[in-house]
Amino acid sequence: MLISFRPPSIRIADPGGWRFLPSCRQDNRRWSALPFPIVRVRLGGRDRSEDEMCGRFALYEPTWADAWERLNGGARAPVKPTKPDEGEFRPSYNIAPMQMTAAVLCKDDEIKGAMCLWSLVPPWLKDPLEKKRSSTLNARVEGVLSSKLWGPAMKRHRCLVPANHFYEWRKDGPKDKTAFAIGMRDESLMTFAGIWTYWRGTWKDEPWEGYTFAILTTGPNALMERIHDRMPVIVAPEDRETWLKAPAEDAVKLASEPLPSQLMRAWPIGREIGNVRNQGAKLAEPIDEDLQL
């Protein structure tokens, strides 16, 4: 599967069809990732923030072209490397919710790359973005099709979110936690299963429009269950096109099975990953041996 990407302009969806707009722009000004607080909300009497996982990940490929080449098994990607000052992809070891990152979107069998906001915003939201109070960074695959929030995107707007690895905290006691980085054993790019929307509105009194997404989660494999009771849906290379283009029911079935543990590794890291302002390769440096199955 060859992924098409056209920086620095991207094709976006609107009621009139697909059109071109400069990506990563806000009111004609260049902008980059902005931190935003995750608000804990109670749904059905439970604090659902305890269910959240995959709240940070890393993507530090030097350019879009390098990332897409790896996703395409080494084939040359038909794009030019993107300069950071163009407001496009910026390598990051600490991508957090409400920041921009790369994603591969599919609509009506057309596949393309774009910069997207991590935290799905429903198209019907009329309030300013800063008033969105529910956490929408993760969508549980169980019941995703029947959900009024997730269902429409699951049926028509699925995406892949590339990452070098993701981070998770293991609870070792009431006040004790250990941070882990989790990646592919062969150091290849992993791709999370995601769903996307396109939203127009205002954010902090400024016009804003762009893609937004959520990452699907499922039950853990044998490796991840030693850290957390959920894990992101990781789509194997041979299943990427199926995830993007298959009927929604088939995509849900694919997403319900966690990636086999033997393909992954997890290693303990320092607590610095907890601060969204921290960056650099040092965040992913191991402080002990890999977690063993």
Side-chain angles (χ1 to χ4, degrees), residues 155 209 253:
K155 294 172 184 175
E209 62 180 292
K253 184 177 180 180

Side-chain angles (χ1 to χ4, degrees), residues 33-58:
L34 296 174
F36 195 85
I38 299 284
V39 179
R40 299 166 71 96
V41 296
R42 300 189 67 85
L43 300 174
R46 298 177 60 211
D47 185 348
R48 291 297 298 274
S49 63
E50 292 299 322
D51 292 333
E52 299 290 10
M53 64 90 49
C54 189
R56 301 283 174 82
F57 66 92

